[in-house]
Amino acid sequence: MYRVTIDRGACDGVFACLARDSRFVEDDDGLAALDADGGTIERTDGTVVGTFEDDHSDDAEAAAAACPFDAITVEEVEG
């Protein structure tokens, strides 16, 4: 299980993440967000947090690495 966090304050809408993981989408504010697609998504004014239990963590890590503003973090969590 892993958690993907998007810092909405750091996101600048470059969307390099969208090309690396199809769960990343553009929200109504022009910032990156996550599509649930098998996970659980929690949204606040400052963050979007998705928790997933699948084999796509490499895609999420590639999306995080591509973000020029370091707005995305991926961390393993215990179930």
Side-chain angles (χ1 to χ4, degrees):
M1 184 179 294
Y2 59 98
R3 180 178 301 125
V4 179
T5 302
I6 302 171
D7 178 345
R8 292 176 46 79
C11 179
D12 200 27
V14 171
F15 303 121
C17 54
L18 274 67
R20 280 134 182 111
D21 188 329
S22 62
R23 294 171 297 183
F24 285 83
V25 296
E26 181 178 355
D27 71 9
D28 293 339
D29 295 325
L31 301 175
L34 289 165
D35 181 3
D37 193 23
T40 303
I41 308 297
E42 297 176 28
R43 292 177 176 88
T44 68
D45 288 341
T47 62
V48 177
V49 180
T51 304
F52 300 93
E53 192 169 357
D54 58 28
D55 59 351
H56 299 288
S57 62
D58 289 345
D59 295 337
E61 290 175 5
C67 179
F69 302 103
D70 296 326
I72 303 166
T73 57
V74 180
E75 60 187 333
E76 288 188 37
V77 295
E78 292 188 25

